[in-house]
Amino acid sequence: MSQEELLVLIYQKDEKAFTHLYDMYSKSLFSVIHVLIKNREEAEDVLQDVFVKIWKNIDSYNESKGRFYTWILNIARNTSIDKLRSKDFNNSQKNLSSDNFVNLLDESNKLSHKLDAIGIQEFVKKLKPKCIEIINLLFFKGYTQQEASEELAMPLGTIKTQNRNCINDLRNYLKI
């Protein structure tokens, strides 16, 4: 089934299409979510929330504004960031046992290996140092543009412009 056929069925709220959608994208979306959330069970909950949002909000997808995968990836990223900022999540993180801290450290050390596994890191390394810093904050650490602006002591407009330019540079590397 092509993506176009799948989208038509999803617009019609076909449940089999939803299952197919989940089978097609759950692994890649989970990887993105897990990089941000770090806790497997919490990441699985967020993944479920993401698919519910995709299902409920499919009418807001506009093909002329971008690819479907980019749209669902943004839903996954934004839902993950919302979870990280939630009061319940922050409170649960305060109550972690020392074993969990060891696991968190191990997982953060594996981040570069995960990036290597999907081939992104080699392209990100080709970018200018400022781009690497901005992409790291915005996409891998889940900072908002405002937070990145404060962290890097740069005006918000500059962060937005640099981010757009860095993403374009990354796209050009990926086309090669």
Side-chain angles (χ1 to χ4, degrees):
M1 176 182 308
S2 73
Q3 184 173 312
E4 292 78 22
E5 293 169 327
L6 179 63
L7 282 173
V8 168
L9 293 173
I10 292 172
Y11 281 122
Q12 297 170 355
K13 302 296 184 185
D14 182 300
E15 290 181 21
K16 289 180 184 176
F18 182 78
T19 302
H20 193 70
L21 174 77
Y22 185 86
D23 291 343
M24 282 179 70
Y25 295 110
S26 62
K27 288 181 183 176
S28 60
L29 292 179
F30 180 77
S31 296
V32 170
I33 293 166
H34 195 247
V35 165
L36 291 169
I37 299 293
K38 311 245 186 301
N39 177 302
R40 183 171 191 80
E41 289 155 4
E42 294 283 349
E44 288 170 352
D45 287 345
V46 170
L47 180 66
Q48 183 177 358
D49 292 344
V50 166
F51 276 96
V52 169
K53 286 181 180 182
I54 292 168
W55 187 252
K56 287 183 176 179
N57 299 310
I58 190 65
D59 293 331
S60 69
Y61 169 63
N62 184 341
E63 195 173 315
S64 67
K65 290 186 178 180
R67 294 179 24 217
F68 179 70
Y69 182 72
T70 305
W71 183 72
I72 64 173
L73 194 59
N74 281 328
I75 292 173
R77 182 178 170 275
N78 292 339
T79 304
S80 299
I81 291 169
D82 289 346
K83 181 69 170 184
L84 288 171
R85 291 182 180 158
S86 74
K87 186 176 181 180
D88 291 339
F89 182 79
N90 286 322
N91 286 338
S92 73
Q93 296 304 298
K94 290 178 185 174
N95 298 324
L96 291 176
S97 71
S98 59
D99 292 339
N100 285 339
F101 286 111
V102 172
N103 291 338
L104 288 174
L105 290 172
D106 287 345
E107 286 182 17
S108 68
N109 290 334
K110 293 177 187 173
L111 174 61
S112 62
H113 298 298
K114 288 178 187 174
L115 293 175
D116 276 341
I118 59 175
I120 298 286
Q121 191 157 13
E122 76 175 80
F123 294 106
V124 172
K125 283 181 179 178
K126 292 179 181 180
L127 297 172
K128 295 176 250 172
K130 188 54 74 178
C131 283
I132 294 171
E133 201 170 14
I134 290 171
I135 287 176
N136 185 42
L137 290 177
L138 294 176
F139 294 95
F140 298 120
K141 291 187 177 178
Y143 281 45
T144 63
Q145 290 180 338
Q146 180 64 45
E147 291 168 337
S149 166
E150 293 165 6
E151 178 74 21
L152 299 174
M154 295 172 70
L156 179 59
T158 303
I159 289 290
K160 290 179 178 184
T161 302
Q162 288 286 326
N163 180 39
R164 187 172 45 252
N165 293 339
C166 295
I167 295 300
N168 285 336
D169 290 347
L170 190 56
R171 280 187 185 125
N172 289 334
Y173 287 131
L174 292 171
K175 287 179 185 175
I176 297 173

